[in-house]
Each structure stands twice: as C-alpha cells, then as structure tokens.
Amino acid sequence: MLDEISVAPSDAGMEHSAAWTTLRSRLEALYGADAARLLRKISVRCAEVRGSRDAELSALDDLRRGDPQWIAQSGQAVYSFYVDRFAGSLDETIDHLDDLRAMGVRWLHPLPILRPREGDSDGGFAVQDYRAIDPAIGDMAALRRLTRACRERDMGLIVDIVCNHTAREHVWAEQARRGDPRYRAYYHFIETEAQVLDWERTLIDVFPQTAPGSFTYDEALGTWVWTTFYPFQWDLNYANPDVFYEMLDVLFFLTEAGVQGFRLDSAPFLWKRLGTSCRNQPEAYAIVEAFRAALDLAAPGVILLAEAIEGVDDVLPFFGQDVRGCDLAYNNGVMTALWASLADGDTAIARRLLAETARRPEGRAWLNYVRCHDDLIWSALSDFATPDDMRRWSRFFDGQGYSSGQRFQSPPGGIDSTNGMTAALVGVGHADVDQDAALGRLRLLYGVVFALDGWPLVYMGDEIALGNDEQYRHDPVRRDEGRWLHRPKMDWDRHRAARTEGEGSVAYQAIVRCATAARRLNAWGVSGRALPVETEHPGVLAFRRVEGWPFLCVANFTDQARVLRTPDGFEAPGVDLLTGETVAGSSIRLEPYQVIWRTLQP
C-alpha cells in the first residue's frame, strides 16, 4: 500500500501545469482511487528533486524546455557499448571520452550498468539493485564522475532502466519469497497450472529454446511467477501503484546523479491482460506517459528512449498519443528493412518503412541504427513482408554468401533471427569476399542512418569494423547465449590504428565523415522527416528531408553502378556533403554501394 501522506502539491504552480494534468489523468486511469495518494507522494518527491537539482542540469532543463525542437537537431550521435567490453570500468570510460567526442559522439549509452545478479544476468538485464552500480565496473561515485565528465564535453549519458522485471535476488523479490504481502504484490504470482495454461495460450515465447514459456515454478513459494524472459527475471506488476512509484523514484535517484536520459527496457511488456500477447497494452503507453509527465515536473531536460522492438503501429504510441511520451524510440523497422534491402538488392521494403515511420509526431525522434547488442529480428517486418521473404533474409545472413552471421532462436514455425556484428554481416574479414565491397556495404548502411531524421547510433566496434567474438562459446557463463557473438571486447590497438590510417581506418573515417556532415545539416537548415523518393532503379534508395533547405540522400544497395535521373528540385548545382564535391546535372551516377548526400548550393 502507498504510504499515507496528506499534503497538497509541494509547488503551488505544479497542480496547474500541463504535466501535472497529464500525470493525474494517466494515474487516475491506471489506479483509480489510489491515484490521489500516489499523486501526493510524487508531488513531494518532484519538489525535492527540483529543489536539489545541480545548477548545470537546471540550465540544461531550461535550455531544452525553451526549444522543444532540440530533439530534432541532426548529428546527435549515440554510442552504445558494454562498459566492461569497451574500457573495463566507468572511470576508464572517462579516459576515452575525448576519443568519442572526436568521432562526433554526443550521447553515451552504456548497456546495463546497475548492479546485476551474480552469474548469468542476461547481459546485465537482471538487476539486483537499481541504486547501485555493478561493482565490476564502479560505484555511484564513479557514475557521478562520468556524468560530470560528459557534461564538461557537452555530452550526455543515457542509462538502461530495466523497468519490466527485476532479478529474483532483488530485495523486493527476496521479501516476496519470505511471504511479505506488500512485496508479493510487486510481482505476478499464478496459483495453479490451469491458470498458467490460460495465460500461455496467447503469449509468445521470447527465448523459446533457452527459456521456453513465460512462467517459472518457485519451490519456496509453491506458485508460479511470471518470467517473460529468463527464470531469474521476475516481471513487475504495474497494476500495483507502489511499483510505479518505486520505478519513478529510481529515475529520480539516477537523475540526481547526473544521468540525462533513460532507455526504458522492454517497455511493451509492462501490462498484463488475459487473452492477449501482453505486449503494447494501452496501460503500457499510459505508464510511459506518466513517467514523462513526472520527469517534466522535476527534470524536464531528461530524455526517455523506448526500447520497443515491435511493428510500427505498436511503437508509435510510445511517443505519446495526445500528450508527450518517450522522446525517442528505436527505428527497428527501418533498420531491419535496410538489411533486407541489402540482401535482395531491392529497396522496396525500405521505402515502405520510411513512409510508415514518417508518421512519428512532431517533437519526437527516431533512434536510427545499423546494429545493437540484440539480435536482428526479421519478424519485425511481418506487416510488410511475407514469411518466405523473412526466411530468405534469415538464411542469407546465416553464414551464406558474404555474411558471417548466425541464426538465433525463434518459436516453432517462426523466423530465426540473426546474430553478428555489422562487419561480419557485410563480409569484412570473410574469406573469398571482396573487401572493398564489404567495407562499401558498411559505409552504405551508416551513410543512410546518419542522413535520416533522428539520432544516429553507433554500436561499439563498428567504427573500426570489429568482427564477431567467436570465443564466447568457451565461457561457461556466456556460451548458451548466442547474442554474445556480437558483444566483443574493444580492440584499442586497432582503434588507435584506425585513427591514423591503419587497420579499420576505412570504417572509422566513414563514420566520422557522416557524423561531421550530419551536424552540418543544422547549419544548412536541413530538417524534417525523411520521405522516400521514387527512382527508376529498385536497388537505389532515395529520400529527401521535407523541411528547410533541400536535401536528398541516394544510396545504391547493389554491386553494380547505377545512373538515375536527378529527382525534381535537385537539378541545380549542389554539393555532396559527404565529400564536399560539386554535383550538378540531370543525372546522378552511383558506384556500387555508394551514398551521396546532395543539397543545393546556397
């Protein structure tokens, strides 16, 4: 039960703000009569956070609140990495901030850094303590040093919040196992096997081979507990208002440490409803909107990123429906479509996805990426492609042709996902593969994601064309989790060489060039959504940015040169922002896997 407190909103103006109205509306819809007590408690905490906010962070709040379109600025590159694989610790990460800044990185996204359970922790996504750092990489003092060092370089830190589940070793779960009714209500316990079967009929296994089913029998409790992902990850019960407050207070706690953004892990799973897939329920969207509204009251400059690897129609509401929700969401559909287009040499599906994702609301942005720490999920394109298409792409990148990817588990009759680093998937280091073409494919993919509207993400190692980590199979903790294939350790010798024309330099220079050109788009006045432009060549992806100064990206997804008619409005003399070369004329010639960012001369 929520603590009983009887206070009015702690700020006289708070209850009249739009954020307070949203917060109250969402919490009343979620929790009914409990909403009033929850609101009183949140108001006190908001006032505390705002009153103790660091002066630099308050200034950022004011700056971002005064410019609602700041999210849409180009060139806000995000760098995603595992701290231990990247540098070893949070303090050692500080030593590499200048290297990242030189690459054009503006945001750091270290993958889970909060204290995980010992042993297998699903790569850190089984959190034992939200208020402590993984002791293998540092402590809260080190986190504060990192956030401060980032601010000194005009960079921000985004931290993973695993909001759907805790480790079964979390103190809440431990208390629940001891029979404490308060904490039993934090989780979903199912009393009978018949009830489990009722739920399972409409659920979809996330890990059908390594962790089949969505429930685990707990001997100590004599009941089943909801475990969507792994048996050691217990799903939280957001129908309990205490759970909402606890997680919001975690956000506030980390905000006070200088964190400027949160990635809401597994956001689609936050609400359970019998007879559904228990994904993307209306209440899940309401929870995210309530988080956003509460942050707007206390720390409005903090961003929220939705980790929702779903179809476009299910992802869009995470941006907020009639109010503000997440500021960013993973552009999973476009990412997957780019790989499909590369496999086929036909960009039809990428053009369709660009048109669909252009429906995002104003003031929000896509996080555009090529690869990440997770698998490449072909079924994310099920609204746009046939099962035969998706199976063909899955097979293509499963070690065939130029790819060194590997298939990943899927439900019976499903489409296997794909594991592998970008370099491995495009053929870098693959025997009998033209390496110029392989590196051309890597440049192509990053050239596209940096040109799109939104924030581009660079996954650790892609900037030096780092390959797969085949050694994970020899580690007893990691060997059963195929995604460790694309979670290698950073090769700092190679990184230093890449910055000085050595091994890996082609990828490094390409990403630096894209990051530099993307920032220049702001000075040129290029803005707005990316909309596809039809060309006479199906293997060429073309899109324009629809606001501000004219901008056209054309990308050849084939291994053959292509000549196309210059789209209307771009015939006048212009410049390729990636090379600085002057371009003009009624036609555009593209070499294999070439990307051109064409704009008109001022």
Side-chain angles (χ1 to χ4, degrees):
M1 296 286 293
L2 288 166
D3 297 338
E4 293 286 351
I5 54 175
S6 299
V7 294
S10 299
D11 186 313
M14 186 184 297
E15 63 182 340
H16 302 298
S17 69
W20 181 264
T21 299
T22 296
L23 182 62
R24 183 181 63 219
S25 168
R26 297 307 183 262
L27 296 185
E28 287 175 348
L30 289 165
Y31 302 119
D34 278 331
R37 287 176 293 155
L38 181 56
L39 283 162
R40 287 194 294 269
K41 193 170 182 179
I42 290 172
S43 73
V44 172
R45 191 70 178 98
C46 284
E48 291 173 351
V49 174
R50 187 162 53 190
S52 63
R53 194 119 167 91
D54 180 278
E56 290 181 359
L57 294 171
S58 291
L60 274 175
D61 289 340
D62 292 341
L63 183 66
R64 291 169 182 172
R65 183 167 43 194
D67 180 14
Q69 294 302 313
W70 77 272
I71 286 283
Q73 290 182 352
S74 295
Q76 300 202 60
V78 180
Y79 191 81
S80 181
F81 59 100
Y82 280 97
V83 171
D84 60 334
R85 316 295 286 173
F86 175 69
S89 69
L90 295 178
D91 281 329
E92 289 169 303
T93 297
I94 294 172
D95 296 337
H96 294 292
L97 290 183
D98 290 335
D99 294 332
L100 297 179
R101 190 74 166 75
M103 279 173 51
V105 171
R106 292 298 177 268
W107 292 86
L108 266 67
H109 171 218
L111 288 148
I113 62 173
L114 303 182
R115 183 170 189 158
R117 72 188 296 266
E118 293 185 5
D120 186 2
S121 65
D122 186 24
F125 286 96
V127 177
Q128 183 174 339
D129 189 346
Y130 291 102
R131 297 171 185 270
I133 299 299
D134 180 350
I137 63 170
D139 55 21
M140 285 301 301
L143 176 65
R144 293 186 180 93
R145 288 192 290 272
L146 177 58
T147 60
R148 190 180 308 113
C150 285
R151 289 200 304 275
E152 290 170 354
R153 295 163 174 80
D154 193 26
M155 300 168 78
L157 186 74
I158 299 170
V159 166
D160 265 296
I161 294 297
V162 186
C163 50
N164 176 70
H165 48 266
T166 72
R168 68 181 172 213
E169 291 81 8
H170 192 285
V171 65
W172 303 337
E174 293 285 358
Q175 292 287 77
R177 296 179 83 176
R178 294 189 184 103
D180 187 327
R182 172 186 172 92
Y183 291 101
R184 281 186 65 110
Y186 276 39
Y187 299 95
H188 298 273
F189 294 108
I190 311 298
E191 298 298 327
T192 70
E193 189 170 3
Q195 291 173 318
V196 168
L197 292 174
D198 280 345
W199 283 102
E200 289 277 20
R201 286 189 180 94
T202 53
L203 300 179
I204 303 169
D205 283 0
V206 177
F207 301 125
Q209 295 174 17
T210 54
S214 297
F215 299 89
T216 299
Y217 187 76
D218 188 275
E219 293 285 350
L221 291 166
T223 64
W224 282 262
V225 61
W226 201 308
T227 55
T228 293
F229 295 93
Y230 284 104
F232 50 77
Q233 293 167 307
W234 286 17
D235 284 39
L236 288 162
N237 177 16
Y238 276 88
N240 178 353
D242 283 340
V243 170
F244 176 88
Y245 181 81
E246 293 272 22
M247 199 57 65
L248 176 62
D249 201 44
V250 167
L251 299 181
F252 285 157
F253 172 77
L254 293 168
T255 295
E256 290 173 309
V259 174
Q260 293 186 40
F262 299 106
R263 173 186 178 271
L264 301 180
D265 178 70
S266 303
F269 297 86
L270 296 181
W271 198 268
K272 320 301 187 188
R273 176 170 283 112
L274 187 64
T276 73
S277 66
C278 295
R279 297 188 185 188
N280 309 304
Q281 298 300 298
E283 292 86 353
Y285 302 131
I287 290 166
V288 168
E289 291 168 353
F291 282 154
R292 176 70 268 166
L295 283 168
D296 281 344
L297 295 169
V302 171
I303 65 164
L304 290 180
L305 164 63
E307 193 262 337
I309 310 304
E310 307 284 336
V312 176
D313 286 340
D314 289 325
V315 175
L316 287 171
F318 280 107
F319 285 123
Q321 298 173 88
D322 57 342
V323 297
R324 187 179 172 199
C326 283
D327 305 276
L328 298 115
Y330 282 83
N331 201 349
N332 176 67
V334 167
M335 179 276 294
T336 314
L338 293 178
W339 286 104
S341 298
L342 200 57
D344 287 352
D346 187 321
T347 65
I349 192 166
R351 295 194 299 273
R352 290 184 65 191
L353 266 295
L354 282 179
E356 288 293 312
T357 55
R359 295 188 285 129
R360 63 151 178 86
E362 287 293 331
R364 318 294 195 277
W366 290 108
L367 185 66
N368 301 307
Y369 62 117
V370 174
R371 285 296 290 117
C372 69
H373 67 288
D374 269 333
D375 46 315
L376 206 169
I377 303 173
W378 299 107
S379 59
L381 298 178
S382 59
D383 291 339
F384 304 91
T386 68
D388 286 344
D389 288 333
M390 294 183 287
R391 287 192 181 91
R392 182 177 70 255
W393 301 326
S394 176
R395 288 193 298 269
F396 183 90
F397 288 104
D398 181 25
Q400 300 184 23
Y402 54 67
S403 175
S404 296
Q406 295 176 16
R407 70 178 64 185
F408 192 52
Q409 56 190 302
S410 65
I415 313 297
D416 287 337
S417 298
T418 299
N419 289 330
M421 291 289 287
T422 297
L425 296 182
V426 300
V428 174
H430 194 295
D432 303 321
V433 171
D434 182 329
Q435 291 302 289
D436 288 339
L439 288 166
R441 290 186 280 269
L442 189 151
R443 289 196 304 265
L444 168 86
L445 293 168
Y446 272 100
V448 170
V449 300
F450 269 89
L452 293 168
D453 60 304
W455 294 16
L457 180 146
V458 178
Y459 184 56
M460 189 207 84
D462 280 1
E463 75 273 23
I464 57 171
L466 195 60
N468 290 338
D469 177 14
E470 301 286 352
Q471 297 304 310
Y472 83 93
R473 295 181 181 85
H474 304 298
D475 183 337
V477 174
R478 297 186 297 147
R479 63 188 177 196
D480 294 326
E481 171 54 81
R483 292 174 297 175
W484 283 107
L485 182 71
H486 50 260
R487 300 171 184 177
K489 281 193 173 183
M490 174 58 79
D491 184 337
W492 283 107
D493 289 338
R494 184 183 177 109
H495 207 282
R496 284 185 286 272
R499 302 198 298 268
T500 56
E501 307 297 322
E503 185 181 18
S505 63
V506 173
Y508 183 84
Q509 291 169 5
I511 287 177
V512 170
R513 186 180 303 116
C514 287
T516 301
R519 291 194 300 277
R520 291 183 63 200
L521 294 180
N522 299 312
W524 281 75
V526 174
S527 62
R529 294 167 172 78
L531 286 178
V533 174
E534 292 298 323
T535 75
E536 59 270 42
H537 292 294
V540 173
L541 177 66
F543 58 87
R544 60 189 177 90
R545 300 284 294 277
V546 298
E547 297 175 14
W549 195 254
F551 174 82
L552 175 73
C553 176
V554 287
N556 182 3
F557 278 70
T558 77
D559 59 1
Q560 301 294 316
R562 294 286 184 260
V563 178
L564 59 143
R565 182 183 62 81
T566 302
D568 294 342
F570 290 91
E571 301 91 341
V575 63
D576 177 1
L577 291 178
L578 290 177
T579 64
E581 295 178 0
T582 300
V583 292
S586 59
S587 64
I588 299 173
R589 178 181 174 85
L590 290 166
E591 299 302 326
Y593 305 119
Q594 185 180 4
V595 180
I596 293 175
W597 290 13
R598 182 166 181 158
T599 190
L600 302 184
Q601 291 179 339

